[in-house]
Amino acid sequence: MKPLTEALIENSKSAMISCVELHNKPKFSYRYEIATFLAINAWELLLKAYINENHPEVKLIRKDGTTKPFEECVRFVSSQKGKNFRATEENLNKIYEYRNNIIHFYKDPIDELLYFLLHKNVLAYNEFLKENFNIDLSEETNLYLLPIGFK
């Protein structure tokens, strides 16, 4: 694996593990908002790792020093992976929409909706990581997105 790919994957895994750990804290206000940021960050790094490793013809860093935006990474990977990635693409797009709304002030209660989106997102993340890089976070960690609570 290329060194940049390895670095992207390690940072991506750290972001996703942080997402799950934070989600599972018994009391943490702004839980779903921060978990959403971390999930999108994890995916962006993972998608860039996939592109870097498998499609060197695609430039991740632009001449102005910025990197390929998240939405472009999602579209590109989806175009390469095909229909098996479509549900993940829709999930990512929806979470990204909420992430953007949260950044610019989102006042409606979204915890339950984001729980279901994040639950699927974490599972899809681990599947993508296993399928494309032979890494299984469920073997590396003891983390679960817990479906229990007081309400």
Side-chain angles (χ1 to χ4, degrees):
M1 204 176 327
K2 298 174 186 175
L4 178 59
T5 301
E6 288 181 14
L8 288 166
I9 289 172
E10 285 307 309
N11 288 341
S12 173
K13 287 170 28 182
S14 292
M16 190 55 81
I17 289 167
S18 295
C19 171
V20 174
E21 286 177 336
L22 184 138
H23 176 273
N24 290 344
K25 288 191 177 301
K27 183 175 180 182
F28 190 93
S29 59
Y30 212 58
R31 165 194 327 268
Y32 284 97
E33 293 84 352
I34 300 297
T36 299
F37 300 155
L38 289 167
I40 292 298
N41 179 239
W43 270 101
E44 182 169 353
L45 295 169
L46 184 60
L47 296 174
K48 287 177 178 175
Y50 172 84
I51 293 167
N52 186 67
E53 191 67 20
N54 299 295
H55 299 280
E57 74 281 4
V58 176
K59 300 293 181 212
L60 290 175
I61 301 173
R62 298 175 172 175
K63 290 180 184 179
D64 66 0
T66 60
T67 61
K68 191 172 201 54
F70 176 76
E71 307 98 307
E72 288 181 26
C73 292
V74 172
R75 278 193 303 273
F76 179 80
V77 171
S78 184
S79 73
Q80 300 302 305
K81 301 298 279 177
K83 66 180 179 179
N84 291 337
F85 191 76
R86 295 291 187 253
T88 299
E89 178 183 21
E90 290 300 318
N91 177 280
L92 287 170
N93 288 335
K94 194 52 139 172
I95 291 176
Y96 188 68
E97 178 184 327
Y98 281 109
R99 174 216 169 257
N100 291 341
N101 288 335
I102 290 164
I103 287 172
H104 301 290
F105 183 67
Y106 196 89
K107 64 181 178 95
D108 295 332
I110 55 174
D111 291 3
E112 287 184 32
L113 178 60
L114 280 174
Y115 169 78
F116 290 109
L117 288 170
L118 285 169
H119 180 79
K120 293 292 184 194
N121 188 275
V122 169
L123 296 174
Y125 176 91
N126 198 46
E127 283 304 311
F128 189 89
L129 196 57
K130 281 193 290 191
E131 179 184 310
N132 294 285
F133 299 103
N134 202 29
I135 299 170
D136 187 350
L137 275 182
S138 66
E139 291 179 3
E140 289 185 21
T141 67
N142 233 1
L143 297 175
Y144 300 91
L145 197 64
L146 298 174
I148 61 171
F150 294 109
K151 61 178 184 173

